Amino acid sequence: MSDQKVCLTIAGLDPSGGAGIIADIKAFSAFGCFATAAVSSLTFQNTTGVFGAVHQDASTIRGQIEAVMDDFDVAAVKTGMLPTREVIEETARIMSERGVKTLVVDPVVRSTSGYDLIDDAALRVLIEKLFPLSLVVTPNIQEAERNSGISISTPADIESAARTMLSMGAANVLMKGGHSFDSENGKARDHLFDSEGRVHVFDAEYIDTTATHGTGCTLAAAIAANLALGKSLSDAVRTAKDLVTEAIRTSRHLGRGHSPINIPSNFTIS
């Protein structure tokens, strides 16, 4: 029996390869995990924008996930774009039925180009059904505002929004601040608010670039991979953030819009 860890992503397909399940698969593989995937939506997008999508129904989601989980011992699950209420409810139902303990929820609401990927009714179900099942939720500032209903313009607002999401059932919340408040200091700063009331701060070099397509997907998937490998949550976040920083730094600047980041085929901390 192989000791290779299996990770599952449930997310949308970006045919240009920068975000969604293709980015997740690259991130899983970068840490030596075996990647599996269930497609929640077929999107029509590239580096310049999202032009439409065809969403899967609940039975299609269940069929994909059960086929994987019936065959593999899945060590961690990451969710990304879950576009409809029925898809979210079915995903949550399966996670509960299967007793999934290591669930990373990336509450994707909008693409880098500004395309809304989920409506308000579906978002409410995501908060109600998936947050309580998650080990960690990984919103960026815009996602945190929409999840919490709090307008974020200061570091204090970040904490208020995170505490609100914790009260909604999330065990841990990683607030992806990026360079929102710290670019003047040359830092891209994220905050992990954990289940014991602690706040962990993660700083990395701020890189001024348009090569940001897929950063959120990659970070959440890399966290899931490192949790599957047995790391603590804070260590998993740190390693995942190191990966994303290097992937941004080494972007090949492909495409005519927001370039995909360059996820390495294998990653070690130097």
Side-chain angles (χ1 to χ4, degrees), residues 25-267:
I25 289 167
K26 294 175 186 176
F28 292 160
S29 300
F31 295 100
C33 294
F34 184 81
T36 62
V39 181
S40 61
S41 182
L42 302 173
T43 72
F44 316 141
Q45 67 174 296
N46 55 31
T47 65
T48 68
V50 180
F51 311 107
V54 175
H55 305 321
Q56 305 303 295
D57 61 22
S59 64
T60 303
I61 290 295
R62 177 172 284 274
Q64 293 177 85
I65 296 172
E66 287 193 328
V68 171
M69 289 191 158
D70 285 347
D71 194 26
F72 296 99
D73 182 11
V74 176
V77 178
K78 177 258 179 182
T79 65
M81 178 187 178
L82 300 176
T84 65
R85 175 173 184 155
E86 67 167 346
V87 164
I88 295 165
E89 289 178 335
E90 195 70 357
T91 299
R93 190 175 296 116
I94 299 167
M95 296 300 101
S96 181
E97 290 170 359
R98 297 283 178 157
V100 172
K101 302 300 183 186
T102 305
L103 174 63
V104 177
V105 173
D106 187 17
V108 177
V109 299
R110 182 173 294 176
S111 70
T112 302
S113 61
Y115 184 93
D116 280 334
L117 300 172
I118 187 173
D119 63 31
D120 288 338
L123 181 60
R124 286 193 295 271
V125 175
L126 187 146
I127 292 168
E128 177 186 346
K129 300 292 187 180
L130 271 185
F131 275 27
L133 299 176
S134 68
L135 177 61
V136 62
V137 177
T138 64
N140 61 27
I141 295 299
Q142 293 74 29
E143 291 160 351
E145 287 182 328
R146 196 164 165 190
N147 290 332
S148 68
I150 294 172
S151 178
I152 298 174
S153 58
T154 69
D157 295 334
I158 287 181
E159 180 163 3
S160 294
R163 300 295 180 197
T164 297
M165 285 182 280
L166 289 168
S167 73
M168 293 171 169
N172 303 277
V173 175
L174 177 66
M175 295 286 287
K176 300 178 293 190
H179 65 282
S180 300
F181 307 111
D182 299 283
S183 59
E184 68 274 13
N185 297 318
K187 300 294 183 184
R189 176 167 290 175
D190 298 342
H191 299 80
L192 175 64
F193 296 82
D194 73 18
S195 56
E196 298 181 9
R198 298 170 299 192
V199 182
H200 308 261
V201 177
F202 302 90
D203 281 341
E205 175 191 0
Y206 167 59
I207 301 169
D208 188 8
T209 181
T210 59
T212 56
H213 188 52
T215 51
C217 303
T218 302
L219 182 67
I223 291 170
N226 279 276
L227 290 170
L229 293 172
K231 289 189 177 181
S232 69
L233 179 56
S234 60
D235 285 345
V237 171
R238 166 53 64 197
T239 304
K241 189 171 176 67
D242 288 342
L243 170 75
V244 170
T245 300
E246 185 63 18
I248 293 171
R249 187 198 316 281
T250 60
S251 169
R252 307 297 173 81
H253 295 281
L254 302 171
R256 296 178 173 85
H258 290 275
S259 172
I261 59 178
N262 181 38
I263 305 169
S265 58
N266 56 73
F267 181 73

